[in-house]
Structure formats: structure tokens, C-alpha cells
Amino acid sequence: MTDHPTLPGRLADASVADSDQSWPVARSESIYDSAYIALRTDTIVDPAGHEHARAVVQPNGAVGVLAIDQDDRVLLVEQYRHPVGRRLLELPAGTLDVAGEEPLEAAVRELAEEADIIAGEWTSMLHLLATPGYSTERWEVFRATDLRPVPAADRTERVAEEADMVQWWLPFDQALAAVLDGRITDSMTVSGILAAHALRHP
């Protein structure tokens, strides 16, 4: 490795990537635990031997679906999100809350539950750590195409916030513009749309 010629830091090459490392934990205390989310505090020890308290939120993880129809329209669901007090435009998404369910299986289930849609083609497009400063949550975003409706008799009865959901189909270029000018702000949705755009223009 060599230093940057004029600025602090080192020059990287194409092999640069996240790496596994774990600082020792001197103490850990469970604060809250449920089937959906857990919270603990860890006291970690840095390489110099100093201790630091850190809150760790442990959700189940989640998946999102970038569903694109035959006319290059993106499916967005409009949903009320109480923590931020807003109705957000989002990709169909959900948590990994079914025991033993693989991420792709969860994505198939969520697309059917939230949008009454089945996809014939699935591609894993993106892996994300949601908020690694305090959370263990991992996300995977899938691209879904070759779409068709779930038969009416097999559709899920949506409840709570999902009962108030609205489904929108937006041309991909307009969805990208909505991300870039801040009209769409959900992080999984922003990441999925930007990743799809990057894959179209390698």
C-alpha cells in the first residue's frame, strides 16, 4: 500500500472490501428481547485496552424487492411509518420473521403479501448493512421480473399499516429522479433503485 500523494490516507485498488474483525467484549447486558427485535449493551475493548459502552440493536434482518414490469415501471408501495410520522414510498419489503426461511423465500412471500404479485425471474442484486453503527440488521434486495398477479382467492388479507397500503407503478427513470431529488427517502428503496441504475450503466 502507498500513501495518497497529497492527502491523508492510503491508495486502494479494486480488491478493497469490508473485512471481519471483532474487538473483545468485556461485558454484555440484555435490555430488551422480543420475537421481532432485541437490544443489548456491550462494553468493548479497543486495541489500546480502553473500554467503551455500545448499544446494539438486533432486528431479524430484512429483504426488499425491486419489481419491474414489462414496460420498465417500478412497483412502489406507499405505507404509513409511525416512527417518522410519514407515508413513505418503498419497495415491497419485510423482515425475516419466519423460522428457517431463506431470504429469497421471504422476498417471494413479501411481494405476494404486499402487492398480490408473483415473479417468474429473481436476481439477488444488493446486500446492505442497514445501520452498522448500532444495529446488526442485514438486508438483501432482489430484482423481480416476469410478473403476474396472485389469483384473487390466494391473496393475503392485509392488516394494520399494510391494510392502508397503496401500490404505485412508476417509470424507472422517474423513480430514479424521485430518489435524486429527495422525494423518495427510504434507504432500502434508494439503494435498490440506484443499484439497478448502476447495473444498467456499468
Side-chain angles (χ1 to χ4, degrees), residues 64-132:
V65 182
L66 183 80
I68 300 180
D69 74 4
Q70 69 275 15
D71 294 312
D72 204 35
R73 290 175 290 227
V74 177
L75 172 64
L76 299 170
V77 294
E78 180 186 332
Q79 183 174 359
Y80 174 66
R81 292 299 191 182
H82 175 70
V84 295
R86 302 184 70 192
R87 293 183 67 85
L88 300 182
L89 291 170
E90 305 175 6
L91 299 181
T95 60
L96 299 172
D97 55 4
V98 176
E101 189 175 53
E102 293 296 320
L104 178 55
E105 295 173 312
V108 171
R109 174 177 56 78
E110 290 293 344
L111 184 60
E113 289 179 355
E114 294 192 356
D116 304 320
I117 290 173
I118 300 167
E121 297 290 334
W122 290 88
T123 304
S124 179
M125 191 174 65
L126 193 63
H127 291 82
L128 300 164
L129 292 172
T131 47

Coordinates of all heavy atoms in Angstrom, one line a residue, residues 64-132:
G64 N -35.9 -6.8 0.4 CA -36.7 -5.9 -0.4 C -36.7 -6.4 -1.8 O -35.9 -7.2 -2.2
V65 N -37.7 -6.0 -2.5 CA -38.0 -6.4 -3.9 C -38.1 -5.3 -4.8 O -39.0 -4.4 -4.7 CB -39.2 -7.3 -4.0 CG1 -39.4 -7.9 -5.4 CG2 -39.2 -8.5 -3.0
L66 N -37.2 -5.2 -5.8 CA -37.4 -4.2 -6.9 C -38.1 -4.9 -8.0 O -37.5 -5.7 -8.8 CB -36.0 -3.7 -7.4 CG -36.0 -2.7 -8.4 CD1 -36.3 -1.3 -7.9 CD2 -34.7 -2.6 -9.2
A67 N -39.4 -4.8 -8.1 CA -40.2 -5.4 -9.1 C -40.4 -4.5 -10.3 O -40.8 -3.4 -10.1 CB -41.6 -5.8 -8.5
I68 N -40.1 -5.0 -11.5 CA -40.1 -4.2 -12.7 C -41.0 -4.9 -13.7 O -40.8 -6.0 -14.0 CB -38.7 -3.9 -13.3 CG1 -37.8 -3.2 -12.2 CG2 -38.8 -3.1 -14.5 CD1 -36.4 -3.0 -12.7
D69 N -42.0 -4.1 -14.2 CA -42.9 -4.8 -15.2 C -42.4 -4.7 -16.6 O -41.3 -4.2 -16.8 CB -44.3 -4.1 -15.1 CG -44.4 -2.7 -15.7 OD1 -43.4 -2.2 -16.3 OD2 -45.5 -2.1 -15.6
Q70 N -43.2 -5.2 -17.6 CA -42.7 -5.3 -18.9 C -42.5 -3.9 -19.6 O -41.8 -3.9 -20.7 CB -43.7 -6.1 -19.8 CG -45.0 -5.5 -20.0 CD -46.0 -5.6 -18.9 OE1 -45.7 -6.0 -17.8 NE2 -47.3 -5.3 -19.2
D71 N -43.0 -2.9 -19.0 CA -42.8 -1.5 -19.6 C -41.9 -0.7 -18.8 O -41.9 0.5 -18.8 CB -44.2 -0.8 -19.7 CG -45.1 -1.5 -20.7 OD1 -44.6 -1.7 -21.8 OD2 -46.3 -1.7 -20.4
D72 N -41.0 -1.4 -18.0 CA -39.9 -0.7 -17.2 C -40.5 0.2 -16.1 O -39.9 1.3 -15.9 CB -38.9 0.0 -18.1 CG -37.6 0.2 -17.4 OD1 -37.2 -0.7 -16.7 OD2 -36.9 1.2 -17.6
R73 N -41.6 -0.2 -15.5 CA -42.1 0.5 -14.4 C -41.8 -0.2 -13.1 O -41.8 -1.4 -13.0 CB -43.6 0.7 -14.5 CG -44.1 1.6 -15.6 CD -45.6 1.7 -15.8 NE -46.1 0.4 -16.3 CZ -46.9 0.3 -17.3 NH1 -47.4 1.4 -17.9 NH2 -47.3 -0.9 -17.8
V74 N -41.4 0.6 -12.1 CA -41.0 0.0 -10.8 C -42.3 0.0 -9.8 O -43.0 1.0 -9.8 CB -39.9 0.9 -10.1 CG1 -39.6 0.4 -8.7 CG2 -38.7 0.9 -11.0
L75 N -42.4 -1.0 -9.1 CA -43.5 -1.1 -8.1 C -43.1 -0.5 -6.8 O -42.0 -0.8 -6.2 CB -43.9 -2.6 -7.9 CG -44.9 -2.8 -6.7 CD1 -46.2 -2.1 -7.0 CD2 -45.0 -4.3 -6.4
L76 N -43.8 0.5 -6.3 CA -43.6 1.1 -5.0 C -44.9 1.0 -4.2 O -46.0 1.1 -4.7 CB -43.3 2.6 -5.2 CG -42.0 2.9 -6.0 CD1 -41.9 4.4 -6.3 CD2 -40.8 2.4 -5.2
V77 N -44.7 0.7 -2.9 CA -45.9 0.7 -2.0 C -45.8 1.9 -1.1 O -44.7 2.3 -0.6 CB -45.9 -0.6 -1.2 CG1 -46.2 -1.8 -2.1 CG2 -44.7 -0.8 -0.4
E78 N -46.9 2.6 -1.0 CA -47.0 3.7 -0.1 C -47.5 3.3 1.2 O -48.6 2.7 1.3 CB -47.9 4.8 -0.7 CG -48.0 6.0 0.1 CD -49.1 7.0 -0.4 OE1 -49.3 7.0 -1.7 OE2 -49.7 7.7 0.3
Q79 N -46.8 3.5 2.3 CA -47.1 3.0 3.6 C -46.9 4.0 4.7 O -45.8 4.7 4.7 CB -46.3 1.7 3.9 CG -46.7 1.0 5.2 CD -46.0 -0.3 5.3 OE1 -45.2 -0.8 4.4 NE2 -46.2 -1.0 6.4
Y80 N -47.7 4.0 5.7 CA -47.5 4.9 6.9 C -46.5 4.3 7.8 O -46.5 3.1 8.1 CB -48.8 5.1 7.7 CG -48.6 5.8 8.9 CD1 -48.2 7.2 8.9 CD2 -48.8 5.2 10.2 CE1 -48.0 7.8 10.1 CE2 -48.6 5.9 11.4 CZ -48.2 7.2 11.3 OH -48.0 7.9 12.5
R81 N -45.5 5.1 8.2 CA -44.4 4.7 9.0 C -44.5 5.5 10.3 O -44.1 6.7 10.3 CB -43.1 4.8 8.4 CG -42.9 3.8 7.2 CD -43.0 2.4 7.7 NE -42.5 1.4 6.6 CZ -42.5 0.1 6.8 NH1 -43.0 -0.4 7.9 NH2 -42.1 -0.7 5.8
H82 N -44.9 5.0 11.4 CA -45.2 5.7 12.6 C -43.9 6.4 13.2 O -44.0 7.5 13.6 CB -45.8 4.8 13.7 CG -46.0 5.5 15.0 ND1 -46.9 6.5 15.2 CD2 -45.3 5.3 16.2 CE1 -46.7 7.0 16.5 NE2 -45.8 6.2 17.1
P83 N -42.7 5.7 13.3 CA -41.6 6.3 13.9 C -41.2 7.6 13.2 O -40.7 8.5 13.9 CB -40.5 5.3 13.7 CG -41.2 4.0 13.7 CD -42.5 4.3 12.9
V84 N -41.4 7.8 11.9 CA -41.0 9.1 11.3 C -42.3 9.9 11.0 O -42.1 11.1 10.5 CB -40.2 8.8 10.0 CG1 -38.9 8.2 10.3 CG2 -41.0 8.0 9.0
G85 N -43.5 9.4 11.3 CA -44.7 10.2 11.1 C -44.9 10.6 9.6 O -45.3 11.7 9.4
R86 N -44.7 9.7 8.7 CA -44.8 10.0 7.3 C -45.3 8.8 6.5 O -45.2 7.6 7.0 CB -43.5 10.4 6.7 CG -42.8 11.6 7.3 CD -41.5 12.0 6.6 NE -41.8 12.6 5.3 CZ -40.9 12.8 4.3 NH1 -39.7 12.4 4.5 NH2 -41.3 13.3 3.2
R87 N -45.9 9.0 5.4 CA -46.2 8.0 4.4 C -45.1 7.9 3.4 O -44.8 8.9 2.8 CB -47.6 8.2 3.7 CG -48.8 8.2 4.6 CD -50.1 8.4 3.8 NE -50.3 7.3 2.9 CZ -50.9 6.1 3.2 NH1 -51.3 5.9 4.4 NH2 -51.1 5.2 2.3
L88 N -44.4 6.8 3.3 CA -43.2 6.6 2.5 C -43.5 5.8 1.3 O -44.3 4.8 1.4 CB -42.1 6.0 3.3 CG -41.7 6.7 4.6 CD1 -40.5 6.0 5.2 CD2 -41.3 8.2 4.3
L89 N -42.9 6.1 0.2 CA -42.8 5.2 -1.0 C -41.7 4.3 -0.8 O -40.5 4.7 -0.7 CB -42.7 6.1 -2.2 CG -43.9 7.0 -2.6 CD1 -43.5 7.9 -3.7 CD2 -45.1 6.1 -3.0
E90 N -41.9 3.0 -0.9 CA -40.9 2.0 -0.6 C -41.0 0.8 -1.6 O -42.1 0.6 -2.2 CB -41.1 1.4 0.8 CG -41.1 2.4 1.9 CD -41.4 1.8 3.3 OE1 -41.5 0.6 3.3 OE2 -41.6 2.5 4.2
L91 N -39.9 0.1 -1.7 CA -40.0 -1.2 -2.3 C -40.8 -2.2 -1.4 O -40.8 -2.0 -0.2 CB -38.6 -1.8 -2.5 CG -37.6 -1.0 -3.4 CD1 -36.3 -1.8 -3.5 CD2 -38.2 -0.8 -4.8
P92 N -41.6 -3.1 -2.0 CA -42.1 -4.2 -1.1 C -41.0 -4.8 -0.3 O -39.9 -5.1 -0.9 CB -42.7 -5.1 -2.2 CG -43.0 -4.3 -3.4 CD -41.9 -3.3 -3.4
A93 N -41.2 -5.0 0.9 CA -40.1 -5.4 1.8 C -40.7 -6.0 3.1 O -41.9 -5.8 3.4 CB -39.2 -4.3 2.1
G94 N -39.8 -6.7 3.8 CA -40.3 -7.3 5.1 C -39.2 -7.9 5.8 O -38.1 -8.1 5.3
T95 N -39.4 -8.3 7.1 CA -38.4 -8.9 7.9 C -38.3 -10.4 7.8 O -39.3 -11.0 7.3 CB -38.7 -8.6 9.4 OG1 -40.0 -9.1 9.8 CG2 -38.7 -7.1 9.6
L96 N -37.2 -10.9 8.1 CA -37.0 -12.4 8.1 C -37.6 -12.9 9.5 O -36.8 -13.3 10.4 CB -35.5 -12.7 8.0 CG -34.9 -12.2 6.7 CD1 -33.4 -12.4 6.8 CD2 -35.5 -12.9 5.5
D97 N -38.9 -13.0 9.5 CA -39.5 -13.4 10.8 C -40.2 -14.8 10.8 O -41.0 -15.1 11.7 CB -40.5 -12.3 11.2 CG -41.6 -12.0 10.1 OD1 -41.5 -12.7 9.1 OD2 -42.4 -11.1 10.3
V98 N -39.9 -15.5 9.7 CA -40.4 -16.9 9.6 C -39.2 -17.9 9.9 O -38.2 -17.8 9.1 CB -41.1 -17.2 8.3 CG1 -41.5 -18.7 8.2 CG2 -42.3 -16.3 8.1
A99 N -39.3 -18.7 10.9 CA -38.2 -19.6 11.2 C -37.8 -20.4 10.0 O -38.6 -21.1 9.4 CB -38.6 -20.5 12.4
G100 N -36.5 -20.5 9.7 CA -35.9 -21.3 8.7 C -36.1 -20.8 7.3 O -35.7 -21.4 6.3
E101 N -36.7 -19.6 7.1 CA -37.0 -19.1 5.8 C -35.7 -18.4 5.2 O -35.1 -17.6 5.9 CB -38.1 -18.0 5.9 CG -38.6 -17.6 4.6 CD -39.8 -16.6 4.7 OE1 -39.8 -15.7 5.5 OE2 -40.9 -16.9 4.1
E102 N -35.4 -18.7 4.0 CA -34.3 -18.1 3.3 C -34.7 -16.8 2.8 O -35.9 -16.5 2.5 CB -33.8 -19.0 2.2 CG -33.2 -20.3 2.6 CD -31.9 -20.1 3.5 OE1 -31.1 -19.3 3.1 OE2 -31.8 -20.9 4.5
P103 N -33.7 -15.9 2.6 CA -34.0 -14.5 2.1 C -34.9 -14.5 0.8 O -35.8 -13.7 0.7 CB -32.7 -13.9 1.8 CG -31.8 -14.5 2.9 CD -32.3 -15.9 2.9
L104 N -34.6 -15.4 -0.2 CA -35.3 -15.4 -1.4 C -36.8 -15.8 -1.1 O -37.7 -15.3 -1.7 CB -34.7 -16.3 -2.5 CG -35.5 -16.5 -3.8 CD1 -35.7 -15.1 -4.4 CD2 -34.8 -17.4 -4.7
E105 N -37.0 -16.8 -0.3 CA -38.3 -17.2 0.1 C -39.1 -16.1 0.7 O -40.3 -15.9 0.5 CB -38.3 -18.4 1.0 CG -37.7 -19.7 0.4 CD -37.5 -20.8 1.5 OE1 -36.9 -20.5 2.6 OE2 -37.8 -21.9 1.2
A106 N -38.4 -15.3 1.6 CA -39.1 -14.2 2.2 C -39.4 -13.1 1.2 O -40.5 -12.5 1.3 CB -38.1 -13.6 3.3
A107 N -38.6 -12.9 0.2 CA -38.9 -11.9 -0.8 C -40.1 -12.3 -1.6 O -41.0 -11.5 -1.9 CB -37.6 -11.7 -1.7
V108 N -40.2 -13.6 -2.0 CA -41.3 -14.1 -2.7 C -42.6 -13.9 -1.9 O -43.6 -13.4 -2.4 CB -41.1 -15.6 -3.1 CG1 -42.4 -16.2 -3.6 CG2 -40.0 -15.8 -4.0
R109 N -42.5 -14.2 -0.6 CA -43.7 -14.1 0.3 C -44.1 -12.6 0.4 O -45.3 -12.3 0.3 CB -43.3 -14.7 1.6 CG -44.4 -14.4 2.7 CD -44.1 -15.1 4.0 NE -42.8 -14.7 4.6 CZ -42.6 -13.6 5.2 NH1 -43.5 -12.7 5.4 NH2 -41.4 -13.3 5.7
E110 N -43.1 -11.7 0.6 CA -43.4 -10.3 0.8 C -44.1 -9.7 -0.4 O -45.0 -8.9 -0.3 CB -42.2 -9.5 1.2 CG -41.7 -9.9 2.6 CD -42.7 -9.4 3.7 OE1 -43.5 -8.6 3.4 OE2 -42.5 -9.9 4.9
L111 N -43.6 -10.0 -1.6 CA -44.1 -9.5 -2.8 C -45.6 -9.9 -3.0 O -46.4 -9.1 -3.4 CB -43.3 -9.9 -4.1 CG -43.7 -9.3 -5.4 CD1 -43.6 -7.8 -5.4 CD2 -42.9 -9.9 -6.5
A112 N -45.9 -11.1 -2.7 CA -47.2 -11.6 -2.8 C -48.1 -11.0 -1.7 O -49.3 -10.6 -2.0 CB -47.3 -13.2 -2.6
E113 N -47.6 -10.9 -0.5 CA -48.4 -10.3 0.6 C -48.7 -8.8 0.4 O -49.8 -8.4 0.7 CB -47.7 -10.5 2.0 CG -47.7 -12.0 2.4 CD -46.9 -12.1 3.7 OE1 -46.4 -11.2 4.3 OE2 -46.9 -13.3 4.3
E114 N -47.7 -8.1 0.0 CA -47.9 -6.6 -0.1 C -48.4 -6.1 -1.4 O -48.9 -5.0 -1.4 CB -46.5 -5.9 0.3 CG -46.0 -6.2 1.7 CD -44.9 -5.3 2.1 OE1 -44.4 -4.5 1.2 OE2 -44.5 -5.3 3.2
A115 N -48.3 -6.9 -2.4 CA -48.6 -6.4 -3.8 C -49.4 -7.3 -4.6 O -49.8 -7.0 -5.7 CB -47.4 -6.0 -4.5
D116 N -49.7 -8.5 -4.1 CA -50.5 -9.5 -4.8 C -49.9 -9.9 -6.1 O -50.5 -10.0 -7.2 CB -52.0 -9.0 -5.1 CG -52.7 -8.6 -3.8 OD1 -52.5 -9.4 -2.8 OD2 -53.4 -7.6 -3.7
I117 N -48.5 -10.0 -6.1 CA -47.8 -10.3 -7.3 C -46.9 -11.5 -7.2 O -46.3 -11.7 -6.1 CB -47.0 -9.0 -7.7 CG1 -48.0 -7.9 -8.2 CG2 -46.0 -9.3 -8.8 CD1 -47.3 -6.6 -8.5
I118 N -46.7 -12.3 -8.2 CA -45.8 -13.4 -8.3 C -44.8 -13.0 -9.4 O -45.2 -12.4 -10.5 CB -46.5 -14.7 -8.7 CG1 -47.6 -15.0 -7.6 CG2 -45.5 -15.8 -8.9 CD1 -48.5 -16.1 -8.1
A119 N -43.5 -13.4 -9.2 CA -42.5 -13.1 -10.2 C -41.9 -14.4 -10.7 O -41.7 -15.4 -10.0 CB -41.4 -12.3 -9.6
G120 N -41.7 -14.5 -12.0 CA -41.1 -15.7 -12.6 C -39.5 -15.7 -12.6 O -38.9 -16.7 -12.7
E121 N -38.9 -14.5 -12.5 CA -37.5 -14.3 -12.5 C -37.0 -13.5 -11.3 O -37.6 -12.5 -11.0 CB -37.0 -13.6 -13.8 CG -37.3 -14.4 -15.1 CD -36.5 -15.7 -15.2 OE1 -35.4 -15.7 -14.7 OE2 -36.9 -16.6 -15.9
W122 N -36.0 -14.1 -10.6 CA -35.5 -13.4 -9.4 C -34.0 -13.4 -9.5 O -33.3 -14.3 -9.9 CB -35.9 -14.2 -8.2 CG -37.3 -14.2 -7.8 CD1 -38.3 -15.0 -8.3 CD2 -38.0 -13.2 -6.9 NE1 -39.5 -14.6 -7.7 CE2 -39.3 -13.6 -6.9 CE3 -37.5 -12.2 -6.2 CZ2 -40.3 -12.9 -6.2 CZ3 -38.4 -11.4 -5.4 CH2 -39.8 -11.8 -5.4
T123 N -33.4 -12.2 -9.1 CA -32.0 -12.0 -9.1 C -31.6 -11.3 -7.8 O -32.2 -10.2 -7.5 CB -31.5 -11.2 -10.3 OG1 -31.9 -11.8 -11.5 CG2 -30.0 -11.0 -10.3
S124 N -30.6 -11.8 -7.1 CA -30.1 -11.1 -5.9 C -29.3 -9.9 -6.4 O -28.4 -10.1 -7.2 CB -29.3 -12.0 -5.0 OG -28.7 -11.3 -3.9
M125 N -29.6 -8.7 -6.0 CA -29.0 -7.5 -6.6 C -28.1 -6.8 -5.6 O -27.1 -6.1 -6.0 CB -30.1 -6.6 -7.0 CG -29.7 -5.4 -7.9 SD -31.1 -4.5 -8.5 CE -31.8 -3.9 -7.0
L126 N -28.3 -6.8 -4.3 CA -27.6 -5.9 -3.4 C -27.7 -6.5 -2.0 O -28.7 -7.0 -1.5 CB -28.3 -4.6 -3.4 CG -27.6 -3.4 -2.8 CD1 -26.3 -3.1 -3.5 CD2 -28.6 -2.2 -2.8
H127 N -26.6 -6.4 -1.2 CA -26.5 -6.7 0.2 C -26.1 -5.5 1.0 O -25.2 -4.7 0.6 CB -25.5 -7.8 0.5 CG -25.8 -9.1 -0.1 ND1 -25.7 -9.5 -1.4 CD2 -26.4 -10.2 0.5 CE1 -26.1 -10.7 -1.6 NE2 -26.6 -11.2 -0.5
L128 N -26.8 -5.2 2.1 CA -26.6 -4.0 2.8 C -26.6 -4.3 4.3 O -27.3 -5.2 4.8 CB -27.8 -3.0 2.6 CG -28.0 -2.5 1.2 CD1 -29.4 -1.9 1.1 CD2 -26.9 -1.5 0.8
L129 N -25.8 -3.5 5.1 CA -25.9 -3.4 6.5 C -26.6 -2.1 6.7 O -26.2 -1.0 6.3 CB -24.5 -3.4 7.2 CG -23.7 -4.6 7.1 CD1 -22.3 -4.4 7.6 CD2 -24.3 -5.7 7.9
A130 N -27.8 -2.2 7.4 CA -28.7 -1.1 7.5 C -28.1 0.1 8.2 O -28.0 1.2 7.7 CB -30.0 -1.6 8.1
T131 N -27.8 -0.1 9.5 CA -27.2 1.0 10.3 C -26.1 0.4 11.2 O -26.3 0.1 12.4 CB -28.2 1.7 11.1 OG1 -29.1 0.7 11.8 CG2 -29.1 2.6 10.3
P132 N -24.9 0.1 10.6 CA -23.9 -0.7 11.4 C -23.3 0.0 12.6 O -22.6 -0.7 13.4 CB -22.9 -1.0 10.3 CG -23.0 0.0 9.3 CD -24.5 0.4 9.3

